[in-house]
Amino acid sequence: MTAAKVILDGNQVAMDIKEKLSGRVMSLLEQGIVPCLATILVGDDPSSATYVRMKGNACKRLGIRSIRVELPENTSTDELIAAIQELNADPNVHGILLQHPVPHQIDERAAFEAISIEKDVDGVTTLGFAQNAFGFADFPSCTPAAIVAILDYYHIPIEGKHAVVIGRSPILGKPVSLMLLNKNATVTTCHSKTTNLEDIVRLGDIVVAAVGRPKFVQGDWIKPGAVVLDAGYNEGNIGDVDYADCLEKASAITPVPAGVGPVTIATLLKHTVEAAEKLADFRKNS
């Protein structure tokens, strides 16, 4: 008898995270601390604006204050860094999220590095990346953390498994590879220069698709019984995985939408609350 497929429901995982946060937010409010996330949007990219709005709405529902900083398309790197430093200096702001991508004239890496490590709730700084590599980051990148949260929620074993990650971006592919490695998986990280990609993916007990190309991963690439996590989101609500095709082979798979995305936002809220709690602890101990 064939085992039932498990659809890894990101909405359910996100709801669980947020339910556990609600009491912690109330505790902070009783101490006079309102958790606050500042989002910075440079330019008028409609997709980025939608993401920022979704994050703001999620904050509001949980009782987290959301500040939206909007800068014009022609903003310079120095102007953006100045705005970030102003938020760094604001004791009422606990997390800073720079929505990316930013316009071409901006040095995105320099802007990320301007974010204080205490407020880097999306794990975009090199220091945050290094802490994640060593396994002690307070705020690992949200999408990689969401992927691990989904695996943990569904009690999917990581230790001893072969994980194949397709993508090597500094805020997704690389950090999720490191997080899985720190959980004792054997990890292969693939990218645009990888040869025989399909053959490598077929070795994966866990496959993470983070390549930014719609329906890139095909069903015949998937090892029977593998767990597939689709971190892609492309125009038309399409992921990086050919969902219907890969569902045939996988034992568990995330849909798009309602897979990794909702858990990423819930993780961002969790990190913001944790940053506020660190401030509360500092006040108590100072």
Side-chain angles (χ1 to χ4, degrees):
M1 184 176 177
T2 304
K5 305 285 184 182
V6 177
I7 307 304
L8 303 172
D9 185 346
N11 286 332
Q12 187 173 324
V13 181
M15 188 181 303
D16 181 69
I17 293 170
K18 288 184 279 191
E19 284 177 354
K20 291 173 180 174
L21 285 177
S22 59
R24 294 163 66 179
V25 171
M26 287 300 298
S27 177
L28 286 165
L29 294 176
E30 289 167 2
Q31 298 172 63
I33 297 174
V34 182
C36 176
L37 173 68
T39 57
I40 306 172
L41 178 63
V42 185
D44 55 3
D45 178 76
S47 296
S48 293
T50 298
Y51 295 147
V52 168
R53 185 169 61 252
M54 288 169 60
K55 290 161 186 172
N57 291 339
C59 285
K60 185 176 181 180
R61 285 192 290 269
L62 199 61
I64 296 173
R65 181 179 172 224
S66 176
I67 297 174
R68 183 168 172 171
V69 177
E70 297 183 357
L71 299 173
E73 181 78 21
N74 62 355
T75 297
S76 68
T77 300
D78 287 345
E79 288 168 335
L80 175 55
I81 288 175
I84 292 170
Q85 289 173 339
E86 188 174 332
L87 295 169
N88 284 339
D90 187 341
N92 296 314
V93 172
H94 304 104
I96 300 172
L97 174 77
L98 172 59
Q99 184 64 45
H100 55 89
V102 294
H104 65 89
Q105 78 276 6
I106 291 176
D107 183 338
E108 185 177 74
R109 177 45 49 194
F112 281 151
E113 294 307 318
I115 299 172
S116 165
I117 187 63
E118 293 82 12
K119 301 187 181 188
D120 178 22
V121 290
D122 198 22
V124 296
T125 61
T126 52
L127 179 54
F129 181 93
Q131 290 177 343
N132 184 46
F134 280 95
F136 61 83
D138 288 326
F139 312 125
S141 299
C142 289
T143 301
I147 288 167
V148 173
I150 291 169
L151 292 170
D152 288 346
Y153 181 86
Y154 282 95
H155 305 290
I156 294 171
I158 299 174
E159 184 171 330
K161 301 298 182 181
H162 184 182
V164 176
V165 177
I166 311 169
R168 55 175 170 178
S169 78
I171 57 174
L172 211 179
K174 287 179 181 176
V176 78
S177 294
L178 292 165
M179 294 176 80
L180 293 169
L181 184 63
N182 286 338
K183 284 184 169 285
N184 298 318
T186 298
V187 181
T188 301
T189 305
C190 302
H191 46 81
S192 60
K193 305 300 182 186
T194 299
T195 57
N196 302 317
L197 175 63
E198 300 93 329
D199 292 336
I200 295 171
V201 175
R202 288 187 189 104
L203 301 174
D205 303 304
I206 298 170
V207 176
V208 178
V211 72
R213 293 173 62 181
K215 293 188 177 182
F216 178 71
V217 178
Q218 301 299 303
D220 64 358
W221 301 9
I222 301 301
K223 174 182 178 179
V227 176
V228 178
L229 297 119
D230 188 346
Y233 187 79
N234 305 284
E235 188 175 347
N237 288 340
I238 297 171
D240 290 352
V241 166
D242 188 325
Y243 179 82
D245 204 20
C246 291
L247 181 62
E248 295 295 318
K249 290 278 194 73
S251 62
I253 189 169
T254 56
V256 175
V260 175
V263 189
T264 297
I265 293 176
T267 301
L268 178 66
L269 303 182
K270 177 173 175 281
H271 289 173
T272 301
V273 171
E274 288 171 346
E277 288 173 337
K278 286 181 178 295
L279 176 64
D281 289 341
F282 176 78
R283 286 183 180 178
K284 285 178 185 175
N285 298 324
S286 61

